[in-house]
Amino acid sequence: MMKNKPKRKNLTDRELEVLQYVMQGLTNKEIADILMITHHTVKAHVAAIIRKLGVRNRLDASMLAKDKILT
C-alpha cells in the first residue's frame, strides 16, 4: 500500500494513487495489476498527470512530486 500520499488539488485521487506508484518505478502493467485496472487506463492516468503537472514525462512527474507535492 502507499506510504506517503501526494497532495495536489488538480489531480484526482486515482491520479495521485497512480503517481505514487510511478514514483516507485513501477511500470504501467505493474500498476494496473495492483489497482486491478487495465494498463490502458493506467496509461491514460499517467498522460493526465503529465499534462496537469506540465511536465514532459513520467520521470519529470516523479521528480516534481518528490520535490513539491509530497509532504
Side-chain angles (χ1 to χ4, degrees):
M1 213 48 165
M2 296 185 310
K3 294 179 183 175
N4 296 319
K5 186 173 183 178
K7 293 181 180 176
R8 188 71 175 190
K9 63 184 176 191
N10 61 337
L11 296 180
T12 66
D13 289 342
R14 183 60 105 180
E15 289 166 351
L16 290 170
E17 190 174 18
V18 169
L19 179 57
Q20 185 68 42
Y21 290 122
V22 168
M23 291 173 62
Q24 293 175 28
L26 287 121
T27 66
N28 288 354
K29 171 107 174 64
E30 291 168 330
I31 297 168
D33 290 345
I34 291 167
L35 299 178
M36 296 192 295
I37 58 178
T38 70
H39 72 279
H40 297 291
T41 302
V42 174
K43 186 176 179 178
H45 286 310
V46 172
I49 291 165
I50 289 168
R51 179 179 44 78
K52 288 180 179 182
L53 295 181
V55 295
R56 292 179 295 166
N57 54 46
R58 65 195 291 139
L59 177 60
D60 288 347
S62 294
M63 292 171 57
L64 179 65
K66 182 180 175 194
D67 293 342
K68 306 281 184 188
I69 299 172
L70 286 178
T71 56

